[in-house]
Amino acid sequence: MDHGMVGSAQSGRLLVEVREEGASAVVTPAGELDHHTADLLREPLDDLLGKGFSRLVVDCSRLEFCDSTGLNVLLGARLKAEAAGGGVHLAGMQPVVARVFEITGAEAVFTVHGSVADALAGEGDGTD
């Protein structure tokens, strides 16, 4: 498996790390995902999709907050990934972030996993 770090971006409130894991890319946002920080997540997701990664795993275990702008970034990436034959998998959501997905109904359109390992174990399982 390729565990190479592809890149990272940071503002005062959000750090985004990206790494390749086999046929998947793992994106780890840490901090607060909102109107002011959303581009820090949107840009690496778009870059990965542009490079041909259609299966994206978003490790939400270090995400402390997500507002509607952040949710829209993830929904947009999901649409692009699905159009390319893949999908966006969410992993390790904290309760405060999971609640946003529950309230908005967005949890129904994503594949949600307990951990990144679980999401990666499903690679090629047809859930994309």
Side-chain angles (χ1 to χ4, degrees):
M1 263 189 178
D2 179 6
H3 296 288
M5 181 66 74
V6 175
S8 67
Q10 182 172 8
S11 80
R13 296 193 341 246
L14 186 72
L15 168 67
V16 178
E17 296 175 353
V18 178
R19 70 181 191 276
E20 297 175 8
E21 292 276 351
S24 298
V26 179
V27 180
T28 306
E32 299 177 6
L33 178 57
D34 60 24
H35 173 75
H36 300 289
T37 61
D39 284 340
L40 286 173
L41 181 59
R42 180 182 294 110
E43 290 168 5
L45 290 173
D46 286 347
D47 288 347
L48 289 165
L49 290 162
K51 290 178 183 176
F53 284 96
S54 62
R55 188 175 201 284
L56 305 177
V57 175
V58 180
D59 178 0
C60 299
S61 64
R62 295 170 50 203
L63 193 58
E64 300 165 3
F65 176 80
C66 180
D67 73 359
S68 61
T69 307
L71 181 61
N72 283 329
V73 167
L74 293 169
L75 288 167
R78 175 189 154 268
L79 290 175
K80 292 174 187 173
E82 287 182 354
V88 173
H89 296 254
L90 305 179
M93 276 202 276
Q94 299 297 320
V96 68
V97 174
R99 183 76 176 131
V100 172
F101 283 77
E102 181 184 327
I103 290 169
T104 61
E107 68 181 358
V109 300
F110 287 99
T111 302
V112 180
H113 303 270
S115 69
V116 171
D118 290 345
L120 292 172
E123 194 170 294
D125 65 2
T127 60
D128 282 345

